[in-house]
Structure formats: structure tokens, C-alpha cells
Amino acid sequence: MILKDDKENHAKKIAKCIAEEIKLRQKFDQHLVLGLATGSTPISLYNELARLHVEEGLSFRDVFTFNLDEYCGLEDNHPKSYHDFMNVNLFNRIDIPRENIFIPSGQIEPLFERDYCEGYEQTIKDLGGIDVQILGIGRSGHIGFNEPGSSVDSITRKVKLHDITRTDASSDFGGFDNVPTHAITMGMKTILSANRIFFMAFGEAKQEITKRAFCEEITDDIPASHLQRHKKTTICTDFDIT
Ligand code: F6R
């Protein structure tokens, strides 16, 4: 399903769906597993979820979250880490128990990376899989940090970041050379196994790659194109893609 609206309205609608899912599960003493993205795209959504908590009493005590990715080499409290981003933009503003929050660590020794990534996958499985996944898209065509060439069978792993991705992050890090070269990302298989996906892309910079992802052939060169095969993805944009 493709929906065109402005970013704020999309945020309200997606937050409403998430809130309904949370409340429905709370009625039956069940939890909800959310897959979360960072970056500028989901900020309005996180603001709305925080508002629903503060103003309307929505509780996140039965929610588990798994973030898509983290830069390798950054400590959790680094101001540009995705850990810090999530704390500032969402977790510090809601009542989610700290032990329910999972974000890949950027600090794993190379020797333990494989086990660590398999453990991340297993934790998602143990909680029943991702119920609702939030996604943005990078100009390289990535979702999470699954850069061009990522296969649909990929799981959580360490990846090399595309130059376009590092270029787009260079203002955050004070120059291209300061941007981490690698990251840990949830895999394509992990993402595509989510029950429901909200894909968001806003602004002119995302228009071309989004059109290529959804209007052209499915290819590993544009990992987001694999979402065409996902049964329950809602594409939320503020531009036409047909
Ligand atoms: C971030 C992530 C990335 C971003 C994408 C868009 O956790 O997984 O795929 O969603 O790079 O970033 P923004 O929203 O900053 O344009």
C-alpha cells in the first residue's frame, strides 16, 4: 500500500497503529516487538509516540524494541551513536523498561562478532519475531545498513558502509573521514520477516531512490526493492512514486 501525505500526518497515523497494537496486546497480557530505525526520518514518529505516552497515558511497559543498526567503534554514550539517538529521541521520554531495549553494540571485539550477531537474531526469535518494523531508506538504497549487494538471506552482521552513506553522515561527524567505515546491521532476512513494515521516505533527496526501489525490478543492488515482495508493507512518502 502506498500512502502520500506529509511527514507529520504519517507520524500520527503510524503512531496510532502502533498504539492500537500495544493496547490490544496489553489486554491479553502479551508483548509487542518493535523494530526501530534512527536518522531524521522517524523523528516525528518518535515525538508522536512520546506525546501519546505523556498526554494520553500510552504505556510501553510491555514493548520490546530492536534497533536496526549501530556504527562500529562508537561507545554507547557517543553523541553520534544510535544508542544516544534513541535515548534522546524516544527511550528517555517513555516508560519502556531498559531491559526491553536492544540495540546492536558498536563495541564488539572482532573475535566475538559472529556469536554476538547470532545472539541478536536469537533474541528476536525468542520474543516471537518483529511485529512492527519502522524503516527509512538511504540514498544508496539501503534499509538498515544493508548496502547494495546485500542478499535477502542476510542476517545480523558487520557490514562496510557505502560511500554515499558515509557522505550523507559526514556533516554529523565533521567530515567524511571521521564517519565510521563499518556498522552492525540487522539483515535483510530479519527485516523481511517482520509481520508489518512501515517504510518512510520524505523529501526530494529520497524521491529517486524510492521510485527505483518500488517501481523497477527487484535487485540486491537496491536492497529496499525487496520490500516489493513483503506482504504487509505500507509505503509512506510525501511525494508521488508512480
Ligand atoms: C538507520 C537506518 C538507515 C536510515 C537511512 C535514512 O537506523 O537504518 O537505513 O533509515 O539511512 O536515514 P535518514 O532518515 O537520516 O535520511
Side-chain angles (χ1 to χ4, degrees), residues 138-159:
R139 287 190 310 123
S140 65
H142 71 213
I143 47 176
F145 274 143
N146 292 283
E147 298 288 16
S150 299
S151 103
V152 272
D153 294 324
S154 57
I155 60 165
T156 302
R157 68 204 186 286
K158 183 176 180 175
V159 291

Side-chain angles (χ1 to χ4, degrees), residues 7 36-43 46 67-71 82 85-86 133-147 165 168 172 185-186 191 200-202 205-206:
K7 197 198 268 200
L36 299 177
T38 55
S40 57
T41 307
I43 289 179
Y46 297 156
N67 264 81
L68 286 165
D69 38 28
E70 179 59 285
Y71 291 112
Y82 286 164
F85 174 98
M86 289 308 302
Q133 176 69 54
I134 303 302
L135 290 178
I137 185 171
R139 287 190 310 123
S140 65
H142 71 213
I143 47 176
F145 274 143
N146 292 283
E147 298 288 16
T165 302
D168 286 350
D172 279 345
T185 184
M186 230 187 235
I191 293 171
M200 294 188 280
F202 305 120
K206 298 296 172 70

